[in-house]
Amino acid sequence: MQVHLVAAGKYHDIDFARLEMLKLLAEIPEIRTTVAIDYGDLERLGDCSLLITYTCDVVPTDEQVAGLTSFLERGGRWLALHGTNSVIQFDKDGAITPDIAPDFMKLLGTRFVGHPPIEPFKVRISRDHPLTAGMRDFSTLDELYLSERTADVDVLMHSRFEGGACPDFAEADQAAQDVPILYLRQVGEGAILYCTLGHCRGHYDLRPLSNFWPHPQRCSWDYPEFAEILRRGIRWGFDRQI
């Protein structure tokens, strides 16, 4: 049972997220995992059933997007987490999420545009599905990702943003909207399972924007419901009955 994990990027405690994912993968002794810091080792996907990504501001080349598409079309599965769909740049007015890498964002099904300040919000089950069977609505503390849809997606969990300011982002004012938290996107014989939860930050992860972040953030990583989503996502990667 072969897995390829890409964990890399900016403004997050990537080491923490990588370790937590490896611990969850180690719960299934048949799994063997390789780890990378970008999309450059896509030949590895030829041996894998499951790709997992936890990234921020990591964008594949056009050739790599084609490789990811081919992996999915022939039946591969991709568990994409948190900032995989984010591109972030900063100027004097705040964070900008430029509309670049359109083929990559279309493949993922969404493009990140911003989030309000971290605060509690309710996650609701959108519909019956094996990935959500037996789970109930729950509350978490995390970044509520606001995203532009770039393709058809099947939303399994959602939250509600009542509208208002995202003060750290250039696109500061956002309308009220239902927000996908967990969704599926079919691509050929394979699929992407995207979960937007999972922000984490340590003391030194905002350099050079900030030399020291005083309060480490673990957000949904501290909640058993998020761990259950991840465990189910890993099983989904190998079980074609789900």
Side-chain angles (χ1 to χ4, degrees):
M1 299 170 65
Q2 301 289 326
V3 176
H4 190 55
L5 169 63
V6 179
K10 302 174 182 176
Y11 318 127
H12 293 76
D13 191 344
I14 299 296
D15 289 343
F16 171 82
R18 181 190 300 114
L19 179 59
E20 292 302 301
M21 288 307 305
L22 288 172
K23 285 160 46 175
L24 290 169
L25 289 162
E27 293 178 355
I28 302 175
E30 295 88 353
I31 285 178
R32 293 294 177 268
T33 305
T34 52
V35 179
I37 60 170
D38 58 28
Y39 294 97
D41 192 19
L42 291 185
E43 290 185 4
R44 167 71 181 132
L45 293 182
D47 298 321
C48 291
S49 297
L50 177 61
L51 169 68
I52 302 175
T53 55
Y54 185 98
T55 66
C56 176
D57 208 35
V58 176
V59 179
T61 65
D62 291 344
E63 181 180 4
Q64 291 163 356
V65 171
L68 291 165
T69 304
S70 177
F71 164 72
L72 293 165
E73 287 178 340
R74 65 176 181 265
R77 291 190 167 185
W78 179 359
L79 176 59
L81 302 174
H82 196 50
T84 298
N85 70 348
S86 67
V87 179
I88 302 176
Q89 299 173 2
F90 285 86
D91 68 6
K92 61 182 178 62
D93 297 320
I96 298 173
T97 56
D99 188 8
I100 63 175
D103 291 340
F104 180 51
M105 300 305 170
K106 182 177 180 181
L107 181 62
L108 288 170
T110 57
R111 181 182 76 86
F112 170 73
V113 297
H115 62 75
I118 292 175
E119 60 184 2
F121 57 87
K122 191 86 166 182
V123 177
R124 302 186 183 278
I125 307 301
S126 303
R127 70 175 189 86
D128 292 335
H129 189 275
L131 279 163
T132 60
M135 296 189 72
R136 297 188 295 179
D137 298 349
F138 64 94
S139 294
T140 190
L141 177 73
D142 211 319
E143 293 175 342
L144 181 59
Y145 262 29
L146 308 180
S147 299
E148 171 190 274
R149 296 198 194 188
T150 58
D152 292 334
V153 298
D154 181 7
V155 178
L156 305 182
M157 295 182 180
H158 70 278
S159 189
R160 179 69 182 172
F161 178 62
E162 295 301 338
C166 300
D168 293 329
F169 293 88
E171 298 179 42
D173 295 318
Q174 294 288 326
Q177 56 192 278
D178 285 335
V179 178
I181 299 295
L182 182 71
Y183 69 78
L184 278 167
R185 169 157 159 69
Q186 293 295 134
V187 182
E189 297 297 317
I192 298 168
L193 178 64
Y194 201 123
C195 181
T196 65
L197 302 177
H199 176 69
C200 59
R201 180 172 295 148
H203 287 308
Y204 307 105
D205 296 314
L206 270 183
R207 290 179 172 179
L209 301 174
S210 174
N211 193 50
F212 184 81
W213 187 260
H215 304 294
Q217 299 162 323
R218 294 296 179 250
C219 295
S220 291
W221 294 97
D222 286 336
Y223 289 75
E225 292 88 353
F226 183 53
E228 180 64 17
I229 291 169
L230 296 177
R231 288 188 174 98
R232 292 183 183 209
I234 292 168
R235 292 196 299 270
W236 165 86
F238 298 96
D239 186 352
R240 292 304 187 267
Q241 301 305 308
I242 301 177

